[in-house]
Amino acid sequence: MTEAATTTRPAEVTGTLTTMPLGRALNAGMRAALAADDHVLLMGEDIGRLGGVFRVTEGLQAEFGEQRVLDTPLAESGIIGTAIGLAMAGFRPVVEIQFDGFVFPGFDQITTQLAKLTNRSEGRLQMPVVIRIPYGGHIGAVEHHQESPEAYFTHTAGLRVVSPSTANDAYWMIQDAIASPDPVVFLEPKAKYWAKGEVDTASRAVPLHASRVVRRGTDVTLVGHGAMVTTLLQAAALAEGEGTSCEVVDLRSLSPIDYGPILDSVRRTGRMVYAQEAPGFTSVGSEVAATVMERAFYALEAPVLRVSGFDVPFPPAKLEGVYLPDADRILEAVDRVLAH
Amino acid sequence: MIPPDDPALVRILAADGSYAPTPAAEPYLEIVDALPDADLEQFYRDMANSRAFDRQATHLQRQGQLALWPPSFGQEAAQVGSARATRTQDHIFPSYREHVVCTIRGVDPVDIIRLMRGLTHSGWDAADPKNGNTRPYTLVLGAHTLHATGYGMGLVFDGRTATGEPERDEAVIVYYGDGASSQGDVHEAMVFAASYRVPQVFFLQNNQWAISVPVATQSRTPLHLRAAGYMPSILVDGNDVLASYAVTKRALDEARAGDGPRAIEAMTYRMGAHTTSDDPTKYRTSDEEQSWTLRDPLVRMRAFLQARGASDAFFADVDAEAQALADDVRTRTNALGTIPAESMFAHVYSDPHPLVAEQRAWLADYEASFEEGAS
Ligand SMILES: Cc1ncc(C[n+]2csc(CCOP(=O)(O)OP(=O)(O)O)c2C)c(N)n1
């Protein structure tokens, strides 16, 4: 397997294990996909010469050329609409949206076209299009640059929605998403782009749509996705100090949701907290909470709680620290489920 | 790049500041020739002030005082010329780099700073007369062009324009970039504006780059010709403040008189980075940057004024004023406090909303629990 050829941060390689930041792992995963199939294309604003505003596609245009890695005109509806046409013509476009808040000019193409074409064509058309969206807060940026829009996409039938939280998942999930015959909304936790992790370039740990236990525990099950997984792990470490053992589950796939590991865990702990940056109302956390209550009702010792961003527009950067759930807010919910 | 021999180009001052109108500029000379010396000097003063402010804001960002700063460096003539061509009753819809336009219309530079510092999403009140009918910035590219058109439709429906009394006719001017010109919203705005004969000027600053993407990726046709498919369209040298003023003045006058919308493509150059997060060395050459430095809008106007006899004392006074402005911005930025957490629950809806009220109360209790714990 390969790692990125052009890299400002050289990867440290040991056997098939390579340590790299999450953003680099995405780069390496896309590079592998571009090398394996000459109908894989990358498209987006500033992704070529600049390598993207987060440098996730750095070096790929130099290596694969301007017809494989396209600096597109500045128009999201145009980018996604033409990606649909390219998919009809046998390509596998991987689209980059520059920031979460700028996906909406393309929302019509995603929801009314991309999501429905397989169904409308009675299965005659496949839509292997990946839409990469850097999402979430923690970067102190201005309006529209810190949002978590996942629920709009999970609410839309026909889209698969995933979000890696580690470098290893980033490396494999982007390749699995590109291989998917269905459209995949690929949410990249931008706060984690620089977080290093070990990548096993020889084999994937779990399939694209699996959820996964990332920390074992016995008292409370903590579930979340994307950058929030790190916060859950911090909360679990703090709780440990106070004598509470938390199990942490990384959702990984937001649609479909793999409930196996979650239900398994809740049946052992009897308590669950879901944490997310997105507002709580009609959110992914709401969906998981409802399903757990339906399927593990008799195992529950306490109501399932959600810890979320507030149901207000993402605030100016100076308030993101209050808006975004931190370990303290998660522990407050842990205390509440334990009080039952 | 400015094609030197584009017959459509309206330019009055050559790069060296000499008065050398292009043939396309002929119809505009009466406007420029009518300008009193005081106005010409004011144009230069505006440019010098805005450059000093922009440089100060860039420093403040580097020192961690701002989340981000999009420099207006290099685009002063296009912005001063067009903003000075507006009338008090006109309505301004900026994108996010129009610091020069906004401050000319009366917006406090520190209100722009507050936005880029992460204290507010808006920064100033468009309804407060001191802000000169200037709308807040819009960061979703092109979205505001439709808002400007809709506002202009309102002016038509309410009879606030084309009344036959130019002193009170209102118009709208919307600013956007070469990158944004690819957005569907911009094209749809032009469709509506033309359809309803909206009194609107579409002011495109073609600064050659949309972050790292050159204008050729957005359009193989000159952008003013693309706009000409919708409405009369003018190409102007955006580094020439006199030409920028003259074409905008005429376009606004025609729009106010009921002739319908007008498009202006101002050829200019973003001499700085896209924002303080950007590194232009990744995508453009210093040769190119150099070639535009030779067309610096301030240098050009300074040379023109000097040739007309402006005194050293005048330039010294301008420099002192610009420095004082920059110092004042620094002092007031450093004094900006923070904002209360509960402010994020304000104005989500106009009427009370139970979910927001519940979360506001929850946060207050939650924060109080830490204070109790600490004491
Ligand atoms: C709808 C949308 N897509 C993407 C972005 C990200 N973005 C911000 S500025 C920019 C380039 C804009 O270029 P241009 O319109 O030429 O204006 P300039 O910055 O040069 O003034 C991009 C891609 C955005 N703000 N909005």
Side-chain angles (χ1 to χ4, degrees), chain B residues 298-322:
Chain B
L298 266 82
V299 173
R300 185 182 307 199
M301 189 60 180
R302 187 185 177 100
F304 173 68
L305 291 176
Q306 271 169 335
R308 282 172 69 98
S311 67
D312 288 350
F314 165 73
F315 291 110
D317 183 55
V318 168
D319 290 347
E321 183 182 315

PDB file of all heavy atoms in Angstrom, chain B residues 298-322:
ATOM      1  N   LEU B 298      -3.105  53.848  -5.488  1.00  0.00           N
ATOM      2  CA  LEU B 298      -2.738  55.036  -4.700  1.00  0.00           C
ATOM      3  C   LEU B 298      -1.627  55.815  -5.364  1.00  0.00           C
ATOM      4  O   LEU B 298      -1.654  57.044  -5.444  1.00  0.00           O
ATOM      5  CB  LEU B 298      -2.294  54.628  -3.287  1.00  0.00           C
ATOM      6  CG  LEU B 298      -3.388  54.652  -2.237  1.00  0.00           C
ATOM      7  CD1 LEU B 298      -4.187  53.368  -2.308  1.00  0.00           C
ATOM      8  CD2 LEU B 298      -2.816  54.859  -0.865  1.00  0.00           C
ATOM      9  N   VAL B 299      -0.631  55.075  -5.841  1.00  0.00           N
ATOM     10  CA  VAL B 299       0.511  55.714  -6.491  1.00  0.00           C
ATOM     11  C   VAL B 299       0.021  56.522  -7.692  1.00  0.00           C
ATOM     12  O   VAL B 299       0.444  57.664  -7.927  1.00  0.00           O
ATOM     13  CB  VAL B 299       1.528  54.638  -6.921  1.00  0.00           C
ATOM     14  CG1 VAL B 299       2.641  55.252  -7.744  1.00  0.00           C
ATOM     15  CG2 VAL B 299       2.072  53.905  -5.695  1.00  0.00           C
ATOM     16  N   ARG B 300      -0.918  55.908  -8.417  1.00  0.00           N
ATOM     17  CA  ARG B 300      -1.453  56.557  -9.620  1.00  0.00           C
ATOM     18  C   ARG B 300      -2.147  57.886  -9.281  1.00  0.00           C
ATOM     19  O   ARG B 300      -1.896  58.908  -9.891  1.00  0.00           O
ATOM     20  CB  ARG B 300      -2.443  55.593 -10.284  1.00  0.00           C
ATOM     21  CG  ARG B 300      -2.995  56.067 -11.583  1.00  0.00           C
ATOM     22  CD  ARG B 300      -3.996  55.084 -12.166  1.00  0.00           C
ATOM     23  NE  ARG B 300      -3.470  53.711 -12.277  1.00  0.00           N
ATOM     24  CZ  ARG B 300      -3.988  52.775 -13.061  1.00  0.00           C
ATOM     25  NH1 ARG B 300      -5.035  53.056 -13.829  1.00  0.00           N
ATOM     26  NH2 ARG B 300      -3.480  51.574 -13.093  1.00  0.00           N
ATOM     27  N   MET B 301      -2.989  57.858  -8.288  1.00  0.00           N
ATOM     28  CA  MET B 301      -3.753  59.063  -7.936  1.00  0.00           C
ATOM     29  C   MET B 301      -2.835  60.120  -7.321  1.00  0.00           C
ATOM     30  O   MET B 301      -3.003  61.321  -7.566  1.00  0.00           O
ATOM     31  CB  MET B 301      -4.878  58.686  -6.966  1.00  0.00           C
ATOM     32  CG  MET B 301      -5.866  59.796  -6.694  1.00  0.00           C
ATOM     33  SD  MET B 301      -6.694  60.358  -8.230  1.00  0.00           S
ATOM     34  CE  MET B 301      -7.753  61.631  -7.560  1.00  0.00           C
ATOM     35  N   ARG B 302      -1.857  59.638  -6.557  1.00  0.00           N
ATOM     36  CA  ARG B 302      -0.913  60.579  -5.945  1.00  0.00           C
ATOM     37  C   ARG B 302      -0.158  61.361  -7.036  1.00  0.00           C
ATOM     38  O   ARG B 302      -0.041  62.588  -6.980  1.00  0.00           O
ATOM     39  CB  ARG B 302       0.074  59.791  -5.070  1.00  0.00           C
ATOM     40  CG  ARG B 302       0.987  60.657  -4.246  1.00  0.00           C
ATOM     41  CD  ARG B 302       2.020  59.798  -3.499  1.00  0.00           C
ATOM     42  NE  ARG B 302       2.927  60.649  -2.774  1.00  0.00           N
ATOM     43  CZ  ARG B 302       2.836  60.908  -1.467  1.00  0.00           C
ATOM     44  NH1 ARG B 302       1.929  60.311  -0.737  1.00  0.00           N
ATOM     45  NH2 ARG B 302       3.668  61.734  -0.882  1.00  0.00           N
ATOM     46  N   ALA B 303       0.291  60.599  -8.049  1.00  0.00           N
ATOM     47  CA  ALA B 303       1.032  61.247  -9.140  1.00  0.00           C
ATOM     48  C   ALA B 303       0.145  62.258  -9.864  1.00  0.00           C
ATOM     49  O   ALA B 303       0.582  63.358 -10.218  1.00  0.00           O
ATOM     50  CB  ALA B 303       1.554  60.190 -10.113  1.00  0.00           C
ATOM     51  N   PHE B 304      -1.112  61.880 -10.064  1.00  0.00           N
ATOM     52  CA  PHE B 304      -2.051  62.773 -10.748  1.00  0.00           C
ATOM     53  C   PHE B 304      -2.232  64.064  -9.950  1.00  0.00           C
ATOM     54  O   PHE B 304      -2.162  65.173 -10.497  1.00  0.00           O
ATOM     55  CB  PHE B 304      -3.389  62.048 -10.923  1.00  0.00           C
ATOM     56  CG  PHE B 304      -4.485  62.907 -11.471  1.00  0.00           C
ATOM     57  CD1 PHE B 304      -4.441  63.388 -12.786  1.00  0.00           C
ATOM     58  CD2 PHE B 304      -5.583  63.261 -10.689  1.00  0.00           C
ATOM     59  CE1 PHE B 304      -5.462  64.183 -13.287  1.00  0.00           C
ATOM     60  CE2 PHE B 304      -6.604  64.052 -11.193  1.00  0.00           C
ATOM     61  CZ  PHE B 304      -6.539  64.519 -12.494  1.00  0.00           C
ATOM     62  N   LEU B 305      -2.430  63.920  -8.635  1.00  0.00           N
ATOM     63  CA  LEU B 305      -2.643  65.104  -7.799  1.00  0.00           C
ATOM     64  C   LEU B 305      -1.383  65.972  -7.736  1.00  0.00           C
ATOM     65  O   LEU B 305      -1.463  67.206  -7.781  1.00  0.00           O
ATOM     66  CB  LEU B 305      -3.071  64.700  -6.385  1.00  0.00           C
ATOM     67  CG  LEU B 305      -4.469  64.084  -6.263  1.00  0.00           C
ATOM     68  CD1 LEU B 305      -4.732  63.634  -4.835  1.00  0.00           C
ATOM     69  CD2 LEU B 305      -5.551  65.071  -6.715  1.00  0.00           C
ATOM     70  N   GLN B 306      -0.241  65.292  -7.661  1.00  0.00           N
ATOM     71  CA  GLN B 306       1.014  66.063  -7.618  1.00  0.00           C
ATOM     72  C   GLN B 306       1.176  66.894  -8.884  1.00  0.00           C
ATOM     73  O   GLN B 306       1.527  68.073  -8.824  1.00  0.00           O
ATOM     74  CB  GLN B 306       2.212  65.120  -7.446  1.00  0.00           C
ATOM     75  CG  GLN B 306       2.516  64.859  -5.978  1.00  0.00           C
ATOM     76  CD  GLN B 306       3.520  63.741  -5.777  1.00  0.00           C
ATOM     77  OE1 GLN B 306       3.660  62.851  -6.629  1.00  0.00           O
ATOM     78  NE2 GLN B 306       4.213  63.776  -4.640  1.00  0.00           N
ATOM     79  N   ALA B 307       0.871  66.263 -10.014  1.00  0.00           N
ATOM     80  CA  ALA B 307       1.005  66.980 -11.281  1.00  0.00           C
ATOM     81  C   ALA B 307       0.053  68.168 -11.338  1.00  0.00           C
ATOM     82  O   ALA B 307       0.315  69.168 -12.005  1.00  0.00           O
ATOM     83  CB  ALA B 307       0.755  66.025 -12.448  1.00  0.00           C
ATOM     84  N   ARG B 308      -1.080  68.059 -10.622  1.00  0.00           N
ATOM     85  CA  ARG B 308      -2.030  69.178 -10.598  1.00  0.00           C
ATOM     86  C   ARG B 308      -1.649  70.223  -9.559  1.00  0.00           C
ATOM     87  O   ARG B 308      -2.352  71.214  -9.400  1.00  0.00           O
ATOM     88  CB  ARG B 308      -3.427  68.674 -10.245  1.00  0.00           C
ATOM     89  CG  ARG B 308      -4.151  68.019 -11.383  1.00  0.00           C
ATOM     90  CD  ARG B 308      -5.424  67.387 -10.864  1.00  0.00           C
ATOM     91  NE  ARG B 308      -6.419  68.390 -10.453  1.00  0.00           N
ATOM     92  CZ  ARG B 308      -7.414  68.785 -11.217  1.00  0.00           C
ATOM     93  NH1 ARG B 308      -7.552  68.294 -12.436  1.00  0.00           N
ATOM     94  NH2 ARG B 308      -8.285  69.679 -10.773  1.00  0.00           N
ATOM     95  N   GLY B 309      -0.592  69.930  -8.808  1.00  0.00           N
ATOM     96  CA  GLY B 309      -0.107  70.951  -7.886  1.00  0.00           C
ATOM     97  C   GLY B 309      -0.440  70.738  -6.428  1.00  0.00           C
ATOM     98  O   GLY B 309      -0.287  71.656  -5.624  1.00  0.00           O
ATOM     99  N   ALA B 310      -0.904  69.543  -6.070  1.00  0.00           N
ATOM    100  CA  ALA B 310      -1.172  69.292  -4.650  1.00  0.00           C
ATOM    101  C   ALA B 310       0.129  69.437  -3.872  1.00  0.00           C
ATOM    102  O   ALA B 310       1.197  69.027  -4.333  1.00  0.00           O
ATOM    103  CB  ALA B 310      -1.759  67.899  -4.455  1.00  0.00           C
ATOM    104  N   SER B 311       0.036  70.014  -2.693  1.00  0.00           N
ATOM    105  CA  SER B 311       1.251  70.360  -1.946  1.00  0.00           C
ATOM    106  C   SER B 311       1.755  69.214  -1.106  1.00  0.00           C
ATOM    107  O   SER B 311       1.013  68.272  -0.790  1.00  0.00           O
ATOM    108  CB  SER B 311       0.952  71.546  -1.030  1.00  0.00           C
ATOM    109  OG  SER B 311       0.040  71.111  -0.026  1.00  0.00           O
ATOM    110  N   ASP B 312       3.012  69.304  -0.714  1.00  0.00           N
ATOM    111  CA  ASP B 312       3.588  68.321   0.194  1.00  0.00           C
ATOM    112  C   ASP B 312       2.809  68.320   1.507  1.00  0.00           C
ATOM    113  O   ASP B 312       2.617  67.278   2.131  1.00  0.00           O
ATOM    114  CB  ASP B 312       5.060  68.633   0.473  1.00  0.00           C
ATOM    115  CG  ASP B 312       5.924  68.341  -0.756  1.00  0.00           C
ATOM    116  OD1 ASP B 312       5.385  67.737  -1.718  1.00  0.00           O
ATOM    117  OD2 ASP B 312       7.113  68.731  -0.756  1.00  0.00           O
ATOM    118  N   ALA B 313       2.382  69.523   1.898  1.00  0.00           N
ATOM    119  CA  ALA B 313       1.639  69.636   3.153  1.00  0.00           C
ATOM    120  C   ALA B 313       0.355  68.797   3.085  1.00  0.00           C
ATOM    121  O   ALA B 313      -0.030  68.152   4.060  1.00  0.00           O
ATOM    122  CB  ALA B 313       1.322  71.089   3.438  1.00  0.00           C
ATOM    123  N   PHE B 314      -0.287  68.801   1.921  1.00  0.00           N
ATOM    124  CA  PHE B 314      -1.503  67.997   1.764  1.00  0.00           C
ATOM    125  C   PHE B 314      -1.197  66.520   1.999  1.00  0.00           C
ATOM    126  O   PHE B 314      -1.872  65.835   2.772  1.00  0.00           O
ATOM    127  CB  PHE B 314      -2.103  68.207   0.370  1.00  0.00           C
ATOM    128  CG  PHE B 314      -3.123  67.150   0.006  1.00  0.00           C
ATOM    129  CD1 PHE B 314      -4.379  67.143   0.603  1.00  0.00           C
ATOM    130  CD2 PHE B 314      -2.807  66.139  -0.905  1.00  0.00           C
ATOM    131  CE1 PHE B 314      -5.313  66.150   0.281  1.00  0.00           C
ATOM    132  CE2 PHE B 314      -3.727  65.148  -1.224  1.00  0.00           C
ATOM    133  CZ  PHE B 314      -4.981  65.164  -0.635  1.00  0.00           C
ATOM    134  N   PHE B 315      -0.144  66.036   1.347  1.00  0.00           N
ATOM    135  CA  PHE B 315       0.168  64.602   1.488  1.00  0.00           C
ATOM    136  C   PHE B 315       0.590  64.265   2.910  1.00  0.00           C
ATOM    137  O   PHE B 315       0.250  63.201   3.430  1.00  0.00           O
ATOM    138  CB  PHE B 315       1.228  64.185   0.467  1.00  0.00           C
ATOM    139  CG  PHE B 315       0.704  64.197  -0.936  1.00  0.00           C
ATOM    140  CD1 PHE B 315       1.142  65.145  -1.855  1.00  0.00           C
ATOM    141  CD2 PHE B 315      -0.254  63.265  -1.343  1.00  0.00           C
ATOM    142  CE1 PHE B 315       0.636  65.170  -3.153  1.00  0.00           C
ATOM    143  CE2 PHE B 315      -0.757  63.281  -2.640  1.00  0.00           C
ATOM    144  CZ  PHE B 315      -0.314  64.240  -3.548  1.00  0.00           C
ATOM    145  N   ALA B 316       1.304  65.194   3.553  1.00  0.00           N
ATOM    146  CA  ALA B 316       1.710  64.962   4.936  1.00  0.00           C
ATOM    147  C   ALA B 316       0.475  64.875   5.825  1.00  0.00           C
ATOM    148  O   ALA B 316       0.375  64.028   6.727  1.00  0.00           O
ATOM    149  CB  ALA B 316       2.640  66.070   5.411  1.00  0.00           C
ATOM    150  N   ASP B 317      -0.483  65.741   5.545  1.00  0.00           N
ATOM    151  CA  ASP B 317      -1.715  65.753   6.335  1.00  0.00           C
ATOM    152  C   ASP B 317      -2.486  64.441   6.151  1.00  0.00           C
ATOM    153  O   ASP B 317      -2.994  63.846   7.111  1.00  0.00           O
ATOM    154  CB  ASP B 317      -2.569  66.954   5.900  1.00  0.00           C
ATOM    155  CG  ASP B 317      -3.817  67.073   6.736  1.00  0.00           C
ATOM    156  OD1 ASP B 317      -3.682  67.132   7.974  1.00  0.00           O
ATOM    157  OD2 ASP B 317      -4.934  67.074   6.157  1.00  0.00           O
ATOM    158  N   VAL B 318      -2.550  63.973   4.899  1.00  0.00           N
ATOM    159  CA  VAL B 318      -3.244  62.711   4.617  1.00  0.00           C
ATOM    160  C   VAL B 318      -2.568  61.569   5.380  1.00  0.00           C
ATOM    161  O   VAL B 318      -3.235  60.743   6.024  1.00  0.00           O
ATOM    162  CB  VAL B 318      -3.249  62.417   3.103  1.00  0.00           C
ATOM    163  CG1 VAL B 318      -3.689  60.990   2.823  1.00  0.00           C
ATOM    164  CG2 VAL B 318      -4.143  63.413   2.371  1.00  0.00           C
ATOM    165  N   ASP B 319      -1.254  61.536   5.318  1.00  0.00           N
ATOM    166  CA  ASP B 319      -0.531  60.449   5.991  1.00  0.00           C
ATOM    167  C   ASP B 319      -0.779  60.479   7.494  1.00  0.00           C
ATOM    168  O   ASP B 319      -0.965  59.440   8.123  1.00  0.00           O
ATOM    169  CB  ASP B 319       0.973  60.545   5.708  1.00  0.00           C
ATOM    170  CG  ASP B 319       1.290  60.206   4.259  1.00  0.00           C
ATOM    171  OD1 ASP B 319       0.388  59.669   3.575  1.00  0.00           O
ATOM    172  OD2 ASP B 319       2.420  60.494   3.795  1.00  0.00           O
ATOM    173  N   ALA B 320      -0.788  61.685   8.049  1.00  0.00           N
ATOM    174  CA  ALA B 320      -1.005  61.799   9.492  1.00  0.00           C
ATOM    175  C   ALA B 320      -2.412  61.325   9.854  1.00  0.00           C
ATOM    176  O   ALA B 320      -2.613  60.619  10.847  1.00  0.00           O
ATOM    177  CB  ALA B 320      -0.795  63.245   9.929  1.00  0.00           C
ATOM    178  N   GLU B 321      -3.375  61.703   9.022  1.00  0.00           N
ATOM    179  CA  GLU B 321      -4.751  61.285   9.301  1.00  0.00           C
ATOM    180  C   GLU B 321      -4.873  59.755   9.241  1.00  0.00           C
ATOM    181  O   GLU B 321      -5.509  59.124  10.098  1.00  0.00           O
ATOM    182  CB  GLU B 321      -5.708  61.934   8.299  1.00  0.00           C
ATOM    183  CG  GLU B 321      -7.167  61.595   8.570  1.00  0.00           C
ATOM    184  CD  GLU B 321      -8.128  62.202   7.547  1.00  0.00           C
ATOM    185  OE1 GLU B 321      -7.975  63.391   7.207  1.00  0.00           O
ATOM    186  OE2 GLU B 321      -9.044  61.482   7.109  1.00  0.00           O
ATOM    187  N   ALA B 322      -4.227  59.167   8.237  1.00  0.00           N
ATOM    188  CA  ALA B 322      -4.292  57.707   8.079  1.00  0.00           C
ATOM    189  C   ALA B 322      -3.649  57.019   9.277  1.00  0.00           C
ATOM    190  O   ALA B 322      -4.171  56.022   9.805  1.00  0.00           O
ATOM    191  CB  ALA B 322      -3.600  57.297   6.777  1.00  0.00           C
TER     192      ALA B 322
END
